[in-house]
């Protein structure tokens, strides 16, 4: 009996020591892609597939060298059990697995030999991709880096304190020398009085209006593009005039509309930061540089288009002041836009992908009649 107890104790101790070490050697990362029942089409934006694909592509990118060396294969398992017989289910599971692999080969530039594929006539309507990614042991390295950071911070703090003490001592000596140079207390008072009168005169001149003086027009404004609102696309932005001649503006637009039992769609979001240089005596005309990025989803006919847009160009405009707080900003932007999108059709309520397309555009990229409200 004592031998059994001793053996059991030794076994449990080995498990507590060995199991964490084994568990730290590698970790299985699983990604699940879902399919419509009895269908083999792989539609990326459906049922969370786009999120899973983005996670998998990021993992592949981080381990691409190991994958290409053949040390880290991608394990692909296709499943189907929604058809009549085992042969049909296996055939559909194989097609589903191949469609997922084709998407990875196209997007991640990996090869067929980097996969190990198995197909099953059980489980459900999905494809599972697994990677066994080694976990790097970085605890010791992190501790050393933290120790170095603390030592460097202490060194900088000591040097900063010493520099502050040196500057304070120099200022004290300079003040003592200045006071010693003044012959009497009365002389010091006369000098202080003269300095006070000079400062008061400068403040008076600064408050006097002048035709040639340029105002320090530093303020923050709220913007709304009325042309966007007229197309049922809410648009808001801000502009910060960092000085009379320079301003930084950011506008954003968002909308999402569906009709005809959700068969028609109009959705869009954009963000457009811009740097402006104001010209002329009144600082009403300006030139600028704009960057634009966003996403769109248009389905105004049988075929929909969904994708990303990005570009930029130069802008010009004129601001017409209405009153102390409100201004109308007439602006136009010319430049380049790139649209990378997927075509799709809706079949039985499911989006079916019909290919990719890329288009480039040179010309007007932005126009607006914008109401500007000066906040402060």
């Amino acid at each position: 009996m004592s031998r059994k107890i001793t053996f059991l104790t030794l076994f449990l101790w080995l498990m507590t020591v060995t199991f964490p070490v084994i568990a730290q050697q590698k970790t299985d990362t699983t990604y699940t892609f879902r399919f419509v029942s009895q269908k083999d089409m792989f539609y990326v934006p459906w049922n969370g597939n786009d999120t899973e694909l983005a996670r998998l592509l990021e993992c592949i990118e981080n381990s691409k060298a190991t994958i290409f060396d053949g040390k880290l294969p991608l394990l692909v398992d296709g499943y189907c059990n929604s058809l009549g017989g085992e042969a049909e289910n296996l055939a559909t599971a194989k097609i589903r697995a191949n469609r997922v692999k084709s998407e990875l080969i196209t997007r991640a530039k990996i090869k067929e030999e980097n996969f190990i594929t198995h197909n099953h006539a059980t489980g459900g309507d999905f494809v599972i991709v697994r990677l066994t990614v080694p976990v790097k042991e970085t605890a010791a390295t992190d501790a050393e880096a933290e120790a170095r950071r603390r030592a460097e911070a202490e060194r900088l703090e000591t040097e900063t304190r010493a520099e502050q003490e040196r500057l304070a001592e120099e200022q004290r000596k300079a003040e003592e020398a200045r006071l010693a140079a003044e012959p009497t207390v009365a002389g010091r008072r006369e000098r202080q009085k003269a300095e006070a009168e000079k400062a008061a005169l400068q403040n008076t001149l600064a408050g006097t209006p002048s035709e040639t003086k340029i105002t320090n027009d530093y303020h923050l404004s709220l913007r709304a593009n009325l042309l966007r609102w007229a197309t049922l696309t809410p648009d808001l932005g801000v502009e910060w005039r960092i000085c009379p001649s320079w301003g930084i503006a950011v506008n954003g637009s968002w909308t999402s509309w569906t009709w005809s039992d959700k068969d028609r769609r109009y959705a869009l979001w954009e963000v457009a930061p811009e740097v402006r240089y104001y010209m002329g005596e009144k600082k009403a005309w300006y030139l600028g540089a704009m960057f634009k990025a966003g996403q769109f989803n248009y389905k105004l006919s049988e075929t929909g288009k969904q994708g990303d847009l990005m570009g930029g160009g130069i802008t010009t405009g004129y601001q017409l002041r209405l009153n102390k707080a409100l201004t109308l900003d007439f602006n136009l932007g010319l430049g380049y836009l790139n649209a990378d999108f997927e075509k799709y059709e809706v079949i039985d309520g499911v989006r079916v992908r019909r290919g990719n397309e890329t288009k480039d555009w040179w010309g007007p990229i932005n126009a607006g009649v914008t109401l500007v409200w000066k906040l402060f």
Side-chain angles (χ1 to χ4, degrees):
M1 186 66 181
S2 61
R3 284 184 180 180
K4 292 182 179 180
I5 295 174
T6 302
F7 176 76
L8 180 60
T9 303
L10 180 61
F11 175 75
L12 292 174
W13 178 80
L14 288 173
M15 288 294 292
T16 57
V17 173
T18 306
F19 181 75
V21 175
I22 296 174
Q24 292 177 2
Q25 296 303 313
K26 58 185 181 179
T27 175
D28 287 339
T29 308
T30 303
Y31 306 87
T32 303
F33 301 98
R34 306 191 179 279
F35 286 76
V36 179
S37 178
Q38 300 182 354
K39 305 291 184 180
D40 57 27
M41 176 63 68
F42 178 41
Y43 184 60
V44 174
W46 181 72
N47 203 6
N49 287 340
D50 49 353
T51 303
E52 287 291 275
L53 183 59
R55 290 179 55 240
L56 177 54
L57 291 174
E58 181 180 2
C59 184
I60 292 175
E61 183 66 26
N62 294 335
S63 307
K64 184 170 288 186
T66 310
I67 293 174
F68 285 169
D69 291 342
K71 300 178 182 178
L72 182 61
L74 281 74
L75 308 179
V76 181
D77 288 270
Y79 293 86
C80 178
N81 65 348
S82 56
L83 297 175
E86 181 179 359
E88 293 177 297
N89 285 324
L90 286 175
T92 302
K94 181 178 179 181
I95 295 174
R96 290 174 174 176
N98 288 338
R99 291 192 185 279
V100 173
K101 291 193 296 182
S102 297
E103 196 73 27
L104 296 177
I105 291 171
T106 302
R107 295 187 183 228
K109 310 301 182 184
I110 56 179
K111 301 178 180 179
E112 176 66 30
E113 55 263 28
N114 299 128
F115 297 99
I116 298 178
T117 308
H118 298 285
N119 301 307
H120 312 272
T122 58
D125 297 301
F126 50 82
V127 171
I128 294 178
V129 180
R130 289 180 292 117
L131 288 87
T132 304
V133 182
V135 176
K136 297 180 180 179
E137 298 180 359
T138 59
T141 304
D142 291 344
E144 293 174 0
E146 181 65 23
R148 287 196 298 270
R149 283 194 295 269
R150 289 182 179 179
E152 182 67 14
E154 292 176 357
R155 183 184 67 81
L156 291 175
E157 184 179 357
T158 303
E159 291 180 355
T160 303
R161 191 183 304 111
E163 181 67 15
Q164 291 174 348
E165 293 175 354
R166 184 183 66 80
L167 292 175
E169 181 65 18
E170 289 181 355
Q171 291 178 356
R172 184 184 64 79
K173 291 181 179 179
E175 183 66 17
E176 290 178 354
R178 185 183 66 81
L179 293 176
E182 295 183 356
T184 61
V185 175
R188 290 197 296 270
R189 289 178 179 173
E190 288 293 333
R191 182 176 176 179
Q192 292 174 355
K193 182 178 179 181
E195 291 177 352
E197 291 176 352
K198 182 179 178 181
L201 180 59
Q202 289 177 348
N203 291 335
T204 302
L205 292 176
T208 303
S210 173
E211 294 297 329
T212 59
K213 181 184 175 186
I214 298 177
T215 180
N216 292 330
D217 193 13
Y218 313 138
H219 61 257
L220 186 68
S221 301
L222 185 65
R223 303 166 48 83
N225 190 338
L226 303 182
L227 292 184
R228 285 281 194 174
W229 285 89
T231 60
L232 302 181
T233 305
D235 176 277
L236 287 175
V238 294
E239 180 181 5
W240 178 35
R241 289 287 289 273
I242 58 179
C243 69
S245 297
W246 290 94
I248 299 175
V250 179
N251 264 65
S253 304
W254 178 89
T255 189
S256 180
W257 296 91
T258 58
W259 65 95
S260 296
D261 294 330
K262 297 185 178 181
D263 187 54
R264 296 293 183 264
R265 180 129 174 93
Y266 168 62
L268 169 74
W269 71 262
E270 287 182 357
V271 175
E274 180 183 0
V275 178
R276 293 179 169 184
Y277 176 69
Y278 289 86
M279 303 172 292
E281 183 179 356
K282 296 182 179 179
K283 303 297 182 184
W285 293 93
Y286 63 85
L287 286 174
M290 170 187 287
F291 173 78
K292 178 177 286 192
Q295 292 181 328
F296 60 89
N297 186 352
Y298 300 145
K299 189 175 186 298
L300 307 179
S301 60
E302 295 302 319
T303 301
K305 298 178 181 180
Q306 176 176 343
D308 305 323
L309 61 88
M310 183 177 296
I314 59 174
T315 60
T316 184
Y318 176 80
Q319 290 194 344
L320 176 63
R321 188 168 184 178
L322 302 179
N323 55 38
K324 197 171 183 179
L326 296 177
T327 302
L328 273 181
D329 185 340
F330 302 90
N331 56 83
L332 177 67
L334 300 174
Y336 164 77
L337 281 179
N338 171 264
D340 186 8
F341 56 90
E342 295 180 345
K343 295 181 178 179
Y344 68 88
E345 294 180 4
V346 177
I347 300 175
D348 296 332
V350 178
R351 293 182 181 177
V352 180
R353 181 181 173 189
R354 295 304 187 196
N356 294 343
E357 190 171 339
T358 299
K359 285 192 176 181
D360 299 314
W361 165 260
W362 292 91
I365 62 171
N366 191 71
V369 177
T370 303
L371 183 64
V372 182
W373 177 29
K374 181 179 175 180
L375 298 176
F376 57 84

